[in-house]
Amino acid sequence: MTQSCHSASNAAPAAPAISTVTQVSPLIAAREAASSSALRSCTACGMHQLCLPMGLDESDMKRLDKIIGRRKVARDDFLYRIGDRFTALYAVRVGHFKTYQENLDGDRQITGFQMPGELLGMDAISTEQHQCDAVALQDSEVCEIPFARLEQLFGQIPHLLRHFHRIMSHEITSEQNVIMLLGNMRAEQRFAAFLVNLSSRYAARGYSSTRFQLRMTRQDVGNYLGLTIESISRLISKFRKQGLLAVEQRDVEVVDLAALKRLAAGAETCAPAPARAAL
């Protein structure tokens, strides 16, 4: 028999649910927020000696930190797109990025790979529009530095401006090196120079110079170096046979860094591995 609405209304009221949510006092919440903010500040960042705050004293670093925001970028998401309005520079705090340009036919040319402590977006300063796409190669985090406010700090902190000029000079030198890499070097030199460059950049960040992981795909490496993915695979196999590298998927061990540097400099060639004598 169906229960009537009248009988339902006479039922005993249900006991109130017991809340399991722990109340946090505003003071504790404020302390936790302040602690989290301190851990994410420039002074607490292990990359600050490679990044924009390099050489600043603590008071100037705090002034810089006040204008900086933090932004997380998921793997394969864009930090910015070509043609976007330029408003800020981005310092990589965690993770890796790649930048690339695309022509009208949809062909892409990778222009760089960025790691913690490096700046993105400097090529947009003159035109006030981003000149490339920037994509996260893994879940990453950047420090967002509003450029208009940064320019104001340049007038107040001369050392910050001088260091910014050094960063710009380094960017120009890097672009010139890429032009030489693509224009004058043999395929094996290009790949060796690429690995030596990664090695030195990881070493500068306190990581191993001989053991690291390639965050980019072989196709990305080939695109950057002007080589096919098949060429990259052949070079990896060749370098392994020569005892220069040990590779397991994306994990790379540089077995003979000195020889790799000589190869990158053109001081020697990567000859085929000698055949074993018959027993």
Side-chain angles (χ1 to χ4, degrees), residues 19-45:
S19 174
T20 58
V21 178
T22 303
Q23 296 294 323
V24 179
S25 73
L27 180 59
I28 293 176
R31 286 176 178 173
E32 289 179 348
S35 175
S36 175
S37 177
L39 290 174
R40 294 157 65 90
S41 68
C42 287
T43 52
C45 179

Side-chain angles (χ1 to χ4, degrees), residues 87-118:
T87 59
L89 296 174
Y90 302 93
V92 183
R93 185 178 179 89
V94 177
H96 292 70
F97 287 81
K98 69 177 177 182
T99 51
Y100 64 84
Q101 295 178 328
E102 191 170 302
N103 63 22
L104 295 177
D105 294 328
D107 298 324
R108 292 181 177 180
Q109 175 59 56
I110 293 176
T111 57
F113 300 104
Q114 295 77 27
M115 60 177 63
E118 295 178 343

Side-chain angles (χ1 to χ4, degrees), residues 163-182:
H163 181 55
F164 186 71
H165 287 160
R166 284 194 290 269
I167 293 175
M168 294 186 73
S169 176
H170 177 74
E171 287 291 311
I172 294 171
T173 302
S174 296
E175 289 183 4
Q176 291 172 340
N177 289 339
V178 170
I179 292 172
M180 184 177 70
L181 182 75
L182 298 179

Side-chain angles (χ1 to χ4, degrees), residues 74-233:
R75 179 180 178 180
D76 295 330
D77 280 357
F78 290 95
L79 176 61
Y80 53 76
R81 302 297 306 268
I82 187 169
D84 285 352
R85 188 168 67 91
F86 169 70
T87 59
L89 296 174
Y90 302 93
V92 183
R93 185 178 179 89
V94 177
H96 292 70
F97 287 81
K98 69 177 177 182
T99 51
Y100 64 84
Q101 295 178 328
E102 191 170 302
N103 63 22
L104 295 177
D105 294 328
D107 298 324
R108 292 181 177 180
Q109 175 59 56
I110 293 176
T111 57
F113 300 104
Q114 295 77 27
M115 60 177 63
E118 295 178 343
L119 287 177
L120 285 152
M122 294 182 66
D123 58 337
I125 293 175
S126 62
T127 62
E128 297 186 349
Q129 280 189 324
H130 286 289
Q131 303 301 303
C132 60
D133 291 337
V135 181
L137 293 173
Q138 62 184 123
D139 290 345
S140 304
E141 183 177 344
V142 298
C143 297
E144 187 170 3
I145 312 167
F147 192 68
R149 298 186 66 184
L150 180 63
E151 285 187 305
Q152 293 174 355
L153 280 184
F154 286 156
Q156 303 167 20
I157 311 174
H159 183 81
L160 179 62
L161 178 59
R162 287 194 295 270
H163 181 55
F164 186 71
H165 287 160
R166 284 194 290 269
I167 293 175
M168 294 186 73
S169 176
H170 177 74
E171 287 291 311
I172 294 171
T173 302
S174 296
E175 289 183 4
Q176 291 172 340
N177 289 339
V178 170
I179 292 172
M180 184 177 70
L181 182 75
L182 298 179
N184 299 325
M185 291 185 175
R186 304 183 309 274
E188 60 189 30
Q189 272 186 281
R190 297 182 195 183
F191 188 49
F194 174 75
L195 293 172
V196 169
N197 176 267
L198 285 181
S199 170
S200 63
R201 288 160 70 191
Y202 279 123
R205 285 152 180 79
Y207 302 124
S208 172
S209 63
T210 57
R211 292 176 180 266
F212 47 84
Q213 188 176 76
L214 293 179
R215 299 294 180 177
M216 64 293 292
T217 65
R218 293 186 183 186
Q219 185 173 2
D220 284 345
V221 175
N223 181 288
Y224 178 67
L225 297 177
L227 302 171
T228 64
I229 186 173
E230 293 80 11
S231 295
I232 296 298
S233 295

